[in-house]
């Protein structure tokens, strides 16, 4: 309610009006300006607005105009002392209240008014009593105010539901392989693994106008960006591992949850970015779990438009190039990124160009692009921690609208509030404990493949929840947890042995499955047999078991053969205890693949690490792409 309308009622007898004073737009405007994210923490404040508004409305409507009357009592013309709602002429002493004919004068109840009273309605009518008409006006005004507040709160809730409706949902894992969940640490905490997928889809107007080839319009999307974010169980550190989009790997069987279409497992190796078009992000998750044996809790898929909106909301992300760059070729390829040497703040379409640049960084392969993406992410994290522009409600609403339309997530992240909670978990890690890297690889022609030994070593550190920055010495020294399952007698343990010694450059070592099976028989495992039909590739020797009641048997096999317990894992891909002889054991009777234990294995040297707090990182520009 406007205060000017009430000032006359403070100093003059009631005046008949045609209707109640209209409330000013102040409260509604404040609500609109507050909106989603008014507290500067992010989109989900829309829900908080709804809750706070409802509470405020409930309070105001329950006081029968009390807060409105208090507002009326606040202003007194200069030079006057208000002792009652009616004016006393100068020089005269007022000894009794003026009452209307037939109306009794009564003292105000304790704490409810009277001259100078601190209770509600202290500046009411005679003796603290508000005249009946004014009470009706104030009561009506309070009800209108409560209605406005509740209505605005409802609008906030509806907007929150609208944002939730923008988010597209998908199944987490639609493949046959499911990696086992990690074992909680001594404090009962478990790591959190999120797969971030960047889609190259140009099947919307927003994405199409952002550039790139139009050849893919209407085609199945490709997962051109794939990053596994590993948040440690104690939330002290974070590891980010990228896989180049042209990595050649085997893609498992996937079933589209919407159409029921079955995509059979690839007969050979395919580029990993094709997994997204085989039923959705759930197939990309299944592909990662099969390769790494890391359980993935969530996926977040974003398209071009979402990247642009994020950069715009932040106000720019600082990036650096060590010389002038123009990502453009004579046959019209390249991202179009054009920057002079030095550090620049990129946003909008220019930020997208940075993330898509392949021609111009490093050797022009996907490896250089992955490194540029790591630098961008590190810088973005620092900006989001320091940049005050994110407290601007208008910018946050714009970000919320565009970003939610650009997202596809698993059903465990299907609301703005769940995404906000995930963001809070990620924010617990300081930048200097964030480590980014690309999966160790070898070139295979124009493509790449996981580097034998090193790639598996990196993924083992992720599975064992060991920080890639090497600062978890105590955690590394922890011994493997003992199994609750007791092993059967050696002579009763059936074991299947598979030859997995093939590599990208070497044929399988002949007869390894039969040789190792005979070694097991010699150690008392009479039911060990070789599977001569299976053809697999395994960088390191691994022993798999399908269920907890066979864990003790699998560990016993590892103990007898001198294989580290960290190589023993649960897998639904096997029907019994299975020993796959890897490329690290191509010959000899004794296993010599190293201890494989966390205390003896650090991050492989081939992993090019970037620390999240490194503000001096700068991309190397290929001299062929300068101007």
């Amino acid at each position: 309610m406007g205060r000017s309308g009430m000032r006359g009622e403070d100093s003059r007898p009631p005046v008949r009006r045609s209707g109640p004073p209209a409330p000013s737009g102040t409260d509604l405007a404040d609500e609109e300006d507050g909106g989603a994210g008014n507290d500067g923490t992010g989109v989900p404040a829309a829900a908080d607005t709804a809750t706070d508004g409802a509470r405020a409305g409930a309070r105001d409507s329950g006081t029968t105009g009390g807060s409105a009357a208090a507002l009326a009592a606040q202003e007194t013309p200069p030079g006057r002392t208000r002792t009652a709602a009616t004016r006393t002429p100068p020089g005269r002493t007022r000894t009794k209240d003026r009452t209307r004919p037939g109306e009794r004068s009564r003292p105000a109840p304790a704490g409810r008014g009277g001259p100078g009273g601190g209770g509600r309605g202290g500046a009411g009518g005679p003796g603290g009593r508000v005249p009946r008409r004014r009470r009706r006006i104030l009561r009506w005004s309070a009800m209108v105010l409560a209605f406005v507040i509740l209505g605005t709160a409802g609008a906030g809730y509806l907007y929150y539901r609208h944002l939730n409706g923008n988010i597209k949902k998908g199944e987490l894992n639609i493949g046959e392989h499911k990696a086992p969940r990690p074992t909680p640490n001594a404090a009962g905490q478990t790591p959190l693994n999120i797969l971030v997928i960047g889609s190259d889809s140009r099947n919307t107007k927003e994405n199409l106008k952002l550039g790139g080839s139009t050849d893919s319009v209407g085609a199945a999307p490709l997962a051109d960006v794939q990053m596994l974010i590993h948040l440690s169980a104690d939330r002290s550190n974070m590891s980010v591992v990228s896989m180049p989009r042209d990595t050649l790997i085997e893609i498992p069987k996937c079933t589209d949850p919407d159409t029921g279409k079955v995509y059979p497992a690839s007969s050979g190796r395919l580029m990993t970015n094709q997994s997204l078009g085989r039923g959705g992000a759930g197939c990309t998750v299944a592909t990662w779990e099969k390769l790494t044996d890391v359980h993935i809790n969530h996926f977040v898929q974003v398209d071009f438009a979402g990247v642009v909106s994020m950069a715009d909301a932040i106000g720019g992300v600082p990036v650096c190039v060590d010389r002038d760059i123009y990502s453009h070729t004579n046959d019209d390829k390249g991202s179009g990124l054009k920057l002079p040497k030095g550090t620049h703040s990129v946003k909008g379409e220019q930020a997208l160009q940075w993330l898509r640049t392949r021609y111009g960084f490093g050797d022009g392969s996907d490896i250089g692009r992955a490194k540029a993406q790591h630098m961008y992410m590190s810088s973005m994290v620092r900006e989001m921690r320091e940049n005050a522009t994110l407290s601007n409600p208008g910018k946050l609403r714009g970000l919320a609208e565009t970003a939610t339309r650009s997202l596809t997530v698993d059903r465990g992240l299907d609301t703005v509030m769940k995404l906000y909670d995930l963001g809070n978990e990620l924010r617990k890690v300081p930048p200097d404990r964030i480590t980014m890297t690309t999966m160790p690889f070898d070139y295979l022609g124009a493509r790449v493949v996981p580097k034998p030994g090193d790639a598996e070593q990196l993924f083992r550190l992720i599975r064992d929840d060991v920080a890639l920055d090497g600062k978890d010495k105590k955690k590394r020294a922890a011994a493997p947890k003992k199994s609750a399952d007791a092993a059967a007698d050696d002579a009763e343990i059936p074991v299947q042995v598979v030859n997995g010694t093939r590599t990208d450059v070497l044929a399988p070592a002949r007869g390894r499955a039969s040789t190792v099976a005979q070694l097991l028989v010699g150690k008392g495992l009479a039911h060990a047999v070789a599977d001569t039909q299976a053809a697999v590739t395994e960088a390191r020797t691994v022993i798999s078991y399908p269920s907890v009641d066979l864990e003790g048997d699998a560990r016993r096999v590892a103990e007898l053969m001198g294989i580290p317990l960290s190589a023993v894992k649960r897998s639904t891909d096997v029907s019994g205890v299975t020993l796959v002889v890897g490329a690290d054991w191509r010959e000899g009777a004794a296993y010599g693949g190293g201890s494989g234990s966390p205390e003896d294995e650090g991050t492989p040297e081939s992993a090019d690490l970037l620390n999240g707090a490194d503000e001096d990182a700068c991309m190397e520009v290929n001299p062929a792409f300068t101007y």
Side-chain angles (χ1 to χ4, degrees), residues 319-326 337-344 346 350 354 618-619 621 626-627:
V319 295
C320 176
V321 287
D322 67 352
R323 67 177 74 193
D324 302 345
I325 181 174
Y326 182 34
L337 179 69
K338 191 171 185 178
L339 289 174
K341 175 182 177 180
T343 300
H344 309 275
V346 297
Q350 197 173 45
W354 175 275
C618 209
M619 281 303 300
V621 175
T626 60
Y627 66 92

Side-chain angles (χ1 to χ4, degrees), residues 486-515:
D489 293 337
D490 293 349
E492 301 299 325
I493 299 176
V495 184
Q496 190 173 48
V497 184
V498 178
N499 186 350
T501 57
R502 182 186 67 183
T503 71
D504 298 313
V505 295
L506 297 174
R510 293 176 61 87
R512 285 306 288 167
S514 297
T515 298

Side-chain angles (χ1 to χ4, degrees), residues 75-108:
E75 299 199 13
T76 304
R80 298 178 182 174
T81 301
R82 182 169 58 221
T83 58
T86 53
R87 185 168 54 186
T88 302
R92 294 178 62 182
T93 302
R94 187 173 186 83
T95 58
K96 68 177 182 178
D97 296 323
R98 179 182 301 170
T99 60
R100 296 181 180 180
E103 186 173 348
R104 297 178 60 187
S105 175
R106 293 178 300 178

Side-chain angles (χ1 to χ4, degrees), residues 201-252:
S201 172
R202 294 178 177 85
N203 293 333
T204 65
K205 293 179 180 179
E206 292 86 355
N207 286 315
L208 190 58
K209 71 181 182 181
L210 291 174
S213 172
T214 59
D215 296 341
S216 62
V217 175
L222 298 173
D224 275 2
V225 177
Q226 298 177 41
M227 292 183 182
L228 178 64
I229 299 177
H230 172 80
L231 184 61
S232 66
D234 60 7
R235 306 303 190 252
S236 67
N237 65 86
M238 184 192 305
S239 302
V240 181
V241 181
S242 288
M243 185 190 301
R245 68 167 187 169
D246 46 11
T247 301
L248 296 174
I249 58 175
E250 295 176 352
I251 299 179

Side-chain angles (χ1 to χ4, degrees), residues 1-3 6 9-10 21 59-61 63-74 120-121 123 130 134-146:
M1 179 176 292
R3 293 182 176 177
M6 292 299 299
E9 296 183 11
D10 290 344
R59 286 195 300 268
D60 287 348
S61 61
T63 58
T64 319
S67 58
L71 178 61
Q74 288 177 0
R120 292 174 289 186
V130 181
R134 193 182 309 171
R135 287 203 307 272
R136 288 199 301 267
I137 292 174
L138 296 181
R139 185 183 299 113
W140 188 91
S141 300
M143 292 173 63
V144 170
L145 179 61

Side-chain angles (χ1 to χ4, degrees), residues 552-582:
D553 293 355
R555 285 175 169 245
R556 177 57 179 165
V557 173
E559 180 185 355
L560 288 172
M561 300 304 293
I563 298 171
L565 290 180
S566 57
V568 178
K569 63 180 184 178
R570 184 176 173 181
S571 173
T572 56
D573 289 343
V574 297
S575 57
V577 177
T578 303
L579 191 161
V580 179
V581 184

Side-chain angles (χ1 to χ4, degrees), residues 298-622:
H298 300 291
F299 75 77
V300 176
Q301 178 185 328
V302 64
D303 60 21
F304 292 152
V307 173
V308 170
S309 67
M310 178 71 76
D312 285 345
I314 295 173
V317 175
V319 295
C320 176
V321 287
D322 67 352
R323 67 177 74 193
D324 302 345
I325 181 174
Y326 182 34
S327 178
H328 185 264
T329 65
N330 293 332
D331 55 353
D332 230 16
K333 293 182 178 179
S335 70
L337 179 69
K338 191 171 185 178
L339 289 174
K341 175 182 177 180
T343 300
H344 309 275
S345 182
V346 297
K347 61 180 180 179
E349 188 172 350
Q350 197 173 45
L352 179 63
Q353 289 175 334
W354 175 275
L355 294 169
R356 290 181 55 237
T357 294
R358 177 171 184 164
Y359 298 104
F361 287 152
D363 60 2
S365 72
D366 214 45
I367 309 305
R369 172 160 52 187
K371 189 170 183 178
Q373 291 167 353
H374 292 159
M375 288 187 180
Y376 181 92
M377 284 186 63
S378 297
S379 186
M380 183 177 70
V381 168
R382 293 193 298 270
E383 283 298 299
M384 292 182 74
R385 286 174 177 269
E386 301 170 4
N387 198 329
T389 61
L390 288 181
S391 62
N392 183 305
K395 288 189 175 183
L396 278 171
R397 280 199 299 272
L399 168 63
E401 192 69 42
T402 307
T404 51
R405 287 201 306 266
S406 305
L407 287 179
T408 302
V409 300
D410 66 277
R411 300 190 186 281
L413 288 178
D414 59 358
T415 68
V416 171
M417 188 59 71
K418 291 177 182 177
L419 288 167
Y420 177 69
D421 289 341
L422 173 62
N424 277 341
E425 289 296 293
L426 297 175
R427 286 173 60 189
K428 293 177 181 178
V429 181
D432 64 347
R433 292 303 313 277
I434 300 174
T435 306
M436 300 187 178
T437 188
T438 299
M439 176 196 72
F441 63 90
D442 282 334
Y443 281 104
L444 186 64
R447 310 298 183 203
V448 299
V449 293
K451 187 177 184 65
D454 286 5
E456 168 57 22
Q457 182 176 334
L458 182 72
F459 296 137
R460 183 173 293 161
L461 293 176
I462 297 293
R463 290 195 300 270
D464 292 342
D465 197 23
V466 178
L468 300 185
D469 59 11
K471 297 180 180 179
D472 283 346
K473 299 298 183 182
K474 292 182 179 180
K475 189 182 295 183
R476 286 171 178 263
K481 188 176 179 180
K482 292 184 178 181
S483 171
D485 175 59
D489 293 337
D490 293 349
E492 301 299 325
I493 299 176
V495 184
Q496 190 173 48
V497 184
V498 178
N499 186 350
T501 57
R502 182 186 67 183
T503 71
D504 298 313
V505 295
L506 297 174
R510 293 176 61 87
R512 285 306 288 167
S514 297
T515 298
V516 173
Q518 289 302 312
L519 291 172
L520 287 168
V521 171
K523 291 184 177 292
L525 300 178
H527 293 287
V529 296
D531 181 353
T532 58
Q533 303 300 315
V536 300
T537 299
E538 195 72 56
R540 294 204 172 193
T541 299
V542 62
I543 301 174
S544 302
Y545 61 95
S547 56
V548 292
D549 58 326
L550 292 177
E551 182 180 3
D553 293 355
R555 285 175 169 245
R556 177 57 179 165
V557 173
E559 180 185 355
L560 288 172
M561 300 304 293
I563 298 171
L565 290 180
S566 57
V568 178
K569 63 180 184 178
R570 184 176 173 181
S571 173
T572 56
D573 289 343
V574 297
S575 57
V577 177
T578 303
L579 191 161
V580 179
V581 184
D584 59 345
W585 196 14
R586 290 178 60 87
E587 59 185 20
Y591 176 72
S595 72
S597 59
E599 64 266 29
D600 293 334
E601 288 189 357
T603 305
E605 294 182 4
S606 58
D608 188 9
L609 304 182
L610 174 67
N611 186 275
D614 186 359
E615 299 183 17
D616 298 323
C618 209
M619 281 303 300
E620 271 185 45
V621 175
N622 189 316

